[in-house]
Amino acid sequence: MRNGTPTLSATSRALAMLEAVIADGGLSTVSALARAQGIPSATAHRQIATLVAEGFLAPMGGGRHHAGPRLRAMLGKVDDRQVMAHAAAPLLHRLAIRFGGVAQMGTLENDMVTYRVKTGENAGELFTRVAMQLEAYCSGMGKVLLAHLPVREREAYLAGGPFVALTPNTITDPVDLARELACVADQGYALDRGEIAADLSCIAVPVHQADGSVAAAISLSRIGPGGADPRIVKALRDTARAIERACHSPPA
């Protein structure tokens, strides 16, 4: 029970069986899965028959099963990055209000940063917008995402210039950019020191997947010069951890 609302135990058991079948990868029979789950074989057969009838599982012969068409269709509609953005939006809004800036989340697609969340009292004054894409090398979020690419992908990106100067502060030399990305990976945050817009500064940190890989970056942008304000760095990291817990923590 959560928040006073009772759960349906039969539904919970059926979902546990569905999860067991998918995790098993079609290797075990229903009877073997029942033994592993510690439930009667007849109960397991009824659960799986129901899941097959509803299209969540499909038989593959020999008493074994795999994901059915309805489950595969549902999974195809799930955008993990957008799920993370929905979890992040209220947390980023509180961060933006606290520090009087604009908080954003971005992901990396085709070497570009896709903006997925943008919030704050003055968000409309910033040129970015949700769903737009910008070059990665000149922004705090972009640096975070590039710094956590696999080595070969990062090296390919650095070899694929040129990197156009958007302001006098933009890092355009691949050697200097490589050094900057190594620093970002080491310290765990990135700075944009007026590199994408001369009057804009920002701090960004990574948001991790359950396997430890970096799925997104979040940032706080403010007008004027900026540096590694330890209060903002800590608040960003705390917010990133809260987003990770919201997306990856197992149910109670």
Side-chain angles (χ1 to χ4, degrees):
M1 181 181 296
R2 180 180 296 174
N3 296 330
T5 303
T7 61
L8 297 174
S9 58
T11 303
S12 297
R13 291 193 295 269
L15 290 172
M17 179 54 71
L18 175 61
E19 184 177 10
V21 172
I22 299 304
D24 179 73
L27 298 176
S28 302
T29 64
V30 177
S31 297
L33 289 168
R35 288 193 296 272
Q37 293 288 307
I39 62 174
S41 180
T43 299
H45 276 88
R46 287 196 299 272
Q47 290 172 338
I48 287 183
T50 301
L51 291 167
V52 169
E54 294 296 329
F56 290 103
L57 290 177
M60 54 186 297
R64 296 168 175 81
H65 297 78
H66 58 79
R70 190 172 177 185
L71 180 59
R72 292 197 301 271
M74 289 174 62
L75 293 174
K77 297 176 182 177
V78 176
D79 181 345
D80 289 340
R81 291 165 173 169
Q82 199 56 40
V83 169
M84 184 173 284
H86 289 320
L91 298 168
L92 289 173
H93 187 70
R94 288 198 288 271
L95 181 73
I97 297 302
R98 176 182 172 187
F99 290 102
V102 176
Q104 301 184 100
M105 169 180 273
T107 56
L108 193 68
E109 283 89 37
N110 300 318
D111 294 340
M112 304 281 283
V113 177
T114 299
Y115 286 73
R116 293 185 175 265
V117 178
K118 177 185 178 185
T119 184
E121 291 182 343
N122 300 315
E125 299 177 9
L126 191 62
F127 63 91
T128 58
R129 66 180 185 278
V130 172
M132 83 180 299
Q133 288 191 310
L134 290 175
E135 295 287 352
Y137 65 92
C138 49
S139 70
M141 289 196 299
K143 290 179 188 179
V144 166
L145 295 166
L146 292 173
H148 290 89
L149 283 176
V151 173
R152 288 188 178 181
E153 292 183 31
R154 186 170 64 249
E155 290 177 346
Y157 178 88
L158 290 168
F163 303 107
V164 177
L166 302 182
T167 77
N169 298 323
T170 308
I171 300 173
T172 58
D173 184 276
V175 174
D176 292 339
L177 184 56
R179 189 179 298 114
E180 175 83 353
L181 297 181
C183 182
V184 169
D186 182 61
Q187 66 192 12
Y189 64 86
L191 299 176
D192 170 1
R193 311 170 187 86
E195 296 165 55
I196 196 168
D199 61 346
L200 188 70
S201 63
C202 107
I203 306 174
V205 303
V207 181
H208 296 84
Q209 291 275 38
D211 63 4
S213 61
V214 171
I218 59 173
S219 69
L220 186 75
S221 300
R222 297 194 293 180
I223 299 299
D229 185 325
R231 299 175 307 129
I232 296 178
V233 172
K234 182 181 185 304
L236 280 164
R237 285 173 168 163
D238 290 345
T239 301
R241 299 298 83 76
I243 294 168
E244 292 163 3
R245 287 193 298 271
C247 294
H248 309 313
S249 293

